[in-house]
Amino acid sequence: MDQCLTKGYGPVLVVGDGDFSFSLCLFHRLLSRHTKDTAPPQLIATCLQTGSGLNVYANLKENASQLQKLGAEVVFGVDATCLTSNEIIGSRKFSKVIFNFPHAGGKNNMKKNRTLLKDFFISAAEVLAAEGNISITLCQGQGGTEADEPMREWHNSWQVVAMAAYANLVLYETKPFRPEEYSAYKCTGFRYACPYND
């Protein structure tokens, strides 16, 4: 994710950030690197929740408010598999699209999670700038890449590289997610405490 912290990097889209804690940490990091010689950072933070679903996470509203006060955009009700259908997101191009710990729900449902990844990659590719990239963070072993430890059998993984290929995307690199760099980030997904791998 360090790539979006370099000078002159374009708009960043974070999808599926349940309580916006990751987006808030990331935006603080982007702002700390901003100088008078560079354009201010642009970040759109999104979550799937709307209405009463906004009460699921204790800090969601507070984090959203802080992001807006700092100059980021916050959009509710965004389906990561249909980004172009959102009028705020669909008309833009992003230098980076980030999706941390996606999960379709349910336990051990490889098919649903592969479909989620495939549909997300197809959707994200449509809003990605020409030189942009997508960062997806999975728990260790889920991706089905050589970097995964433990290495699962191919049929028992989310097959992230194959799912990205549906959108004509290729794996550029794998590296560990460093939670210490996002100290206020709370993983709010299906698994609350999972080993990280980016």
Side-chain angles (χ1 to χ4, degrees):
M1 303 221 198
D2 293 338
Q3 210 171 13
C4 65
L5 300 176
T6 58
K7 289 182 182 178
Y9 203 79
V12 176
L13 173 65
V14 179
V15 300
D17 192 5
D19 70 351
F20 297 114
S21 61
F22 174 79
S23 296
L24 187 57
C25 289
L26 177 62
F27 202 54
H28 276 296
R29 291 185 73 195
L30 291 169
L31 289 170
S32 73
R33 287 162 172 77
H34 172 62
T35 67
K36 63 180 181 178
D37 299 328
T38 61
Q42 300 173 50
L43 183 131
I44 297 180
T46 74
C47 71
L48 182 60
Q49 294 80 9
T50 60
S52 63
L54 297 176
N55 298 321
V56 171
Y57 305 117
N59 295 326
L60 183 149
K61 291 178 183 176
E62 179 184 335
N63 290 342
S65 177
Q66 286 183 45
L67 278 164
Q68 290 170 324
K69 286 177 186 173
L70 292 169
E73 292 181 70
V74 175
V75 186
F76 300 97
V78 174
D79 182 342
T81 66
C82 303
L83 295 171
T84 56
S85 67
N86 182 285
E87 61 185 49
I88 296 171
I89 296 166
S91 61
R92 298 187 185 177
K93 295 292 181 184
F94 297 90
S95 294
K96 187 162 198 78
V97 180
I98 301 169
F99 197 176
N100 289 326
F101 306 107
H103 204 282
K107 192 169 182 167
N108 296 325
N109 196 330
M110 297 294 171
K111 186 175 180 181
K112 277 187 179 178
N113 287 308
R114 286 180 198 138
T115 300
L116 172 63
L117 289 182
K118 177 185 73 145
D119 293 347
F120 161 68
F121 283 126
I122 292 168
S123 179
E126 294 178 328
V127 297
L128 197 61
E131 299 297 320
N133 64 67
I134 296 170
S135 178
I136 191 157
T137 307
L138 300 173
C139 291
Q140 290 181 351
Q142 286 178 333
T145 69
E146 292 182 15
D148 281 310
E149 289 185 28
M151 181 68 170
R152 295 181 185 175
E153 293 181 22
W154 177 248
H155 71 275
N156 194 26
S157 76
W158 291 19
Q159 303 173 1
V160 66
V161 173
M163 298 306 105
Y166 282 99
N168 296 315
L169 298 169
V170 295
L171 177 66
Y172 175 70
E173 71 178 330
T174 61
K175 59 185 179 178
F177 179 78
R178 305 206 183 287
E180 66 275 6
E181 294 177 5
Y182 303 92
S183 59
Y185 174 45
K186 305 284 187 263
C187 186
T188 59
F190 185 71
R191 295 182 185 178
Y192 292 101
C194 45
Y196 302 102
N197 192 13
D198 181 13

